[in-house]
Amino acid sequence: MLHPFDSVTDVEIVITSKLLKQMHGDACLFFSQIDRLEPIKSEAIKYLEAERYGGKLPWIPRRTYAYYYVNNQMPLYKSIVNASEKRVESSKPVPGGAIGPLQPDGMAAVEIAAVDHPIVKAEIAKLQLEKLSFHHPQLGKLSYKVICEPWMYGSDSPNDKVPLIQCYMYMGVDHPDSNHYSIPLKFSPVFEYLTKRFVRMDYLPSGADEKFIKETFPLHKVDPIVEYHPELIEDWKPRDGLKPLQVVQPEGPSFKVEGTKVTWQGWEFRVATNVREGFALYDVHFKGRSLFYRVALNEMTVPYGDGRPPFHRKQAFDLGDCGFGNSANSLALGCHCLGVIKYLDTRRSDARGNPVLIPSTVCMHEQDYGILYLHKNYRNDRSVVTRRREFVVQTIATVANYEYVVNLVFDQAGAITVQVRATGILSTMPNDPNTVTDFGTIVGPGVTAAFHQHLLNFRFDTRLDGDKNTVVYDDYMPMDEKLPHNQYNVGFRQKRTFVDRSGPVDQSPFTNRTYKVINENSINPVTLKPVGYKFEMPAKQMILASPNSYNVKRAHYATKQFWATKYHDDQLYAAGEFTNQSQKDTGLSIWADGSEDVRNADTVIWATLALTHPPVTEQFPVMPSDFLQFLVTPASFFDKNPALDVPLADNNFNRSVYYDDSQDAASSTSGCCQPKV
């Protein structure tokens, strides 16, 4: 029997598409997305309570949603299907002319249509590539080819009523792994997404201003391509001296997975994959106490800082426009995750409503991350030390040029680290010789990478010791001078502010502002104050575009780091349900407008990780991963360190060896953590 939180199945996708096709008769349906619909929370809570404490499990039908177009035309339809009872509950056009998320098959079709279109072929012919070739010392003579990279169109006008695609054109050698981002071309066709109809040809600026040349000229020579693949790097040799570092668990892993339920070191939760967010966690408990109903990365926007057309429309919503599950990598042993690995799969729909399996999109494993806690009693030279074991839930999405590694990392003391690594290849633009700007970086001959930002929003539906939680923020202030208890003017204190209404909380790094969620109905017996968890977020620059820009109007959540709202079903995505070519934010700009009381309520936290990224040459042709994270940690939630039951470190358990003895695999090891004398 499927759990209400289990991922969508092949059968449910087929039921959904079949029912909708039958409803529309002979019409051709283009499915943008099919996935499981979240259960109504009040019903799911009853199910979870019965599951945990006993009782009859209530019946919760499995429901799906579908976004689709009829006969490749607007409007976009949204349908709700009861897959358990095999019936359509609702189906109607989405109001406001919303445009649905892009479909992997649809984008691939645009890519093919673009390079095959006569107007684009004529533009390519002007390059006279047949007269050029590259002699590779190992691979021999290689010809050049043109590659199309379709991008979501973005927004700059209320008049764009149909789905559009901006096709950026590049060139590389005729090898499947050639770095075409090293040679961006100066023409960029625009196509209609559904019909593949040619709209116009844009020409790209390549100097220091907005001017462009509306002509394509023959290439008499080609700048050297900055390659990243070992097969293409001339005379590539692997670096010497790197020896195996293996994660071995001879007795198996310390975690247990039953269906979608994971238990590890006091943690209990469910993990379910989906096409939009990649994965979500449900019913998160630690040491038997409730923490969160649902946790997920729900949106990311990537606005580019080059204001010249058409680059001014380069603003991706990687989850809402594309989907992290749709673009998830199939992860491999020994590459993406090390140790004993449990994988989960993702299922999506193709454009015709058939299920597509993407295997191994989520990996779960343990890792060592240094010391958890340590104290040495200097009086007797005795130490207690424990190793910090972590449990990682990871997915990796490739959205065109970029890869995003999303990790939720659990430790043995009740903390969660939200960690994102950005890697892949910079999105590039043509650059005239010796042209230097203050909004981009030259990363190779004839190629520049624009400054841009990554703003990722994580949604935490809180349940700290129950369903009524409160958001506060604590500032740390110097005490007033010359008080009776501060005669020497060294004192400082905590100032607590309650968030009573839905809305954002401003950053304040110079008061060490700390965001917290507390339960005013659950008092810590030691502190005599409400229990809580804190969100440790470093101060970061938020979205840089003008408040009057489409970039900000569409991504209001990116203006602030931390938001609190009251829970409502179907409020899952910070920028709203439909982001592709959106005109304005339909998420937090509405839900966090101060109109609702969020104190001692069913509270949702929206936390934004922000990275302003001015590229550097060391990040080309492929980026070492950029690293950003925040912590969600107990703040007097427990009455003492909850990790005191973690076994002390012991080398009979950990099996480390001395450097001098490392050539002898059978060397003896001491049993406890004592220095070698």
Side-chain angles (χ1 to χ4, degrees), residues 37 58 125 180 201 207 219 278 289 349 406 445 465 471 537 543 561:
L37 187 70
H180 57 271
M201 186 70 73
L219 291 175
R289 295 172 67 180
S349 159
V406 179
D465 271 355
V471 179
M537 304 189 69
I543 192 167
Q561 185 182 63

Side-chain angles (χ1 to χ4, degrees), residues 191-259:
F191 284 84
E192 288 189 5
Y193 173 63
L194 296 173
T195 64
K196 316 302 183 290
R197 185 181 74 84
F198 177 83
V199 176
R200 68 174 185 274
M201 186 70 73
D202 288 340
Y203 293 88
L204 308 184
S206 56
D209 55 26
E210 75 287 356
K211 297 175 183 177
F212 58 87
I213 298 173
K214 197 173 181 179
E215 186 58 80
T216 297
F217 297 104
L219 291 175
H220 299 295
K221 68 180 185 70
V222 178
D223 289 322
I225 299 178
V226 186
E227 300 286 10
Y228 66 89
H229 198 281
E231 289 181 15
L232 286 163
I233 298 174
E234 298 182 34
D235 303 316
W236 181 84
K237 293 180 181 179
R239 185 181 298 187
D240 294 332
L242 191 65
K243 298 182 179 180
L245 194 163
Q246 299 174 349
V247 179
V248 179
Q249 295 181 274
E251 299 179 18
S254 304
F255 62 91
K256 185 177 181 181
V257 181
E258 297 175 295

Side-chain angles (χ1 to χ4, degrees), residues 94-121:
V94 179
I99 292 173
L102 300 169
Q103 223 270 356
D105 306 342
M107 293 297 275
V110 170
E111 188 172 337
I112 294 169
V115 294
D116 283 345
H117 195 278
I119 295 176
V120 179
K121 280 186 171 181

Side-chain angles (χ1 to χ4, degrees), residues 134-445:
F134 174 69
H135 183 79
H136 192 281
Q138 284 79 46
L139 301 177
K141 184 179 179 180
L142 297 173
S143 59
Y144 288 98
K145 65 178 181 178
V146 171
I147 294 112
C148 167
E149 180 145 306
W151 262 70
M152 61 287 291
Y153 187 75
S155 293
D156 65 357
S157 166
N159 300 320
D160 297 321
K161 302 295 187 182
V162 298
L164 298 171
I165 299 294
Q166 184 88 45
C167 295
Y168 290 103
M169 310 300 288
Y170 297 87
M171 199 173 82
V173 296
D174 194 9
H175 183 282
D177 293 302
S178 179
N179 180 22
H180 57 271
Y181 298 102
S182 188
I183 309 181
L185 299 174
K186 297 183 181 181
F187 59 92
S188 176
V190 176
F191 284 84
E192 288 189 5
Y193 173 63
L194 296 173
T195 64
K196 316 302 183 290
R197 185 181 74 84
F198 177 83
V199 176
R200 68 174 185 274
M201 186 70 73
D202 288 340
Y203 293 88
L204 308 184
S206 56
D209 55 26
E210 75 287 356
K211 297 175 183 177
F212 58 87
I213 298 173
K214 197 173 181 179
E215 186 58 80
T216 297
F217 297 104
L219 291 175
H220 299 295
K221 68 180 185 70
V222 178
D223 289 322
I225 299 178
V226 186
E227 300 286 10
Y228 66 89
H229 198 281
E231 289 181 15
L232 286 163
I233 298 174
E234 298 182 34
D235 303 316
W236 181 84
K237 293 180 181 179
R239 185 181 298 187
D240 294 332
L242 191 65
K243 298 182 179 180
L245 194 163
Q246 299 174 349
V247 179
V248 179
Q249 295 181 274
E251 299 179 18
S254 304
F255 62 91
K256 185 177 181 181
V257 181
E258 297 175 295
T260 56
K261 185 173 182 179
V262 177
T263 54
W264 176 81
Q265 291 290 292
W267 288 98
E268 302 172 63
F269 52 83
R270 289 185 178 271
V271 185
T273 58
N274 65 63
V275 295
R276 182 160 181 159
E277 298 161 315
F279 70 88
L281 304 185
Y282 295 88
D283 195 27
V284 181
H285 283 67
F286 184 65
K287 291 207 162 184
R289 295 172 67 180
S290 175
L291 299 179
F292 303 104
Y293 172 74
R294 191 179 191 274
V295 178
L297 169 66
N298 72 89
E299 192 54 88
M300 171 171 58
T301 190
V302 185
Y304 280 73
D306 187 340
R308 304 171 299 170
F311 304 130
H312 70 292
R313 281 188 276 96
K314 285 186 74 171
Q315 181 187 19
F317 288 82
D318 288 314
L319 280 73
D321 291 357
C322 304
F324 261 27
N326 270 335
S327 49
N329 288 206
S330 290
L331 309 179
L333 281 174
C335 299
H336 306 95
C337 322
L338 301 179
V340 179
I341 313 299
K342 173 63 178 177
Y343 292 102
L344 301 176
D345 302 331
T346 295
R347 282 170 169 80
R348 67 170 180 89
S349 159
D350 69 12
R352 298 305 166 206
N354 303 305
V356 177
L357 171 67
I358 312 174
S360 303
T361 58
V362 170
C363 67
M364 299 186 289
H365 63 99
E366 295 175 278
Q367 65 187 21
D368 180 275
Y369 194 59
I371 290 172
L372 177 63
Y373 65 79
L374 176 149
H375 178 65
K376 176 181 176 180
N377 188 332
Y378 70 87
R379 293 173 180 84
N380 59 22
D381 209 31
R382 287 163 59 90
S383 295
V384 291
V385 57
T386 60
R387 300 294 302 175
R388 178 189 175 103
R389 184 80 64 91
E390 295 181 332
F391 182 76
V392 182
V393 184
Q394 174 178 284
T395 193
I396 302 173
T398 297
V399 187
N401 54 299
Y402 257 111
E403 271 75 21
Y404 298 97
V405 184
V406 179
N407 293 328
L408 295 183
V409 184
F410 300 81
D411 74 10
Q412 295 158 295
I416 304 172
T417 301
V418 178
Q419 183 186 100
V420 178
R421 298 172 187 242
T423 179
I425 301 179
L426 298 164
S427 183
T428 56
M429 307 168 301
N431 193 66
D432 293 340
N434 303 314
T435 299
V436 178
T437 70
D438 58 2
F439 51 82
T441 302
I442 300 171
V443 292

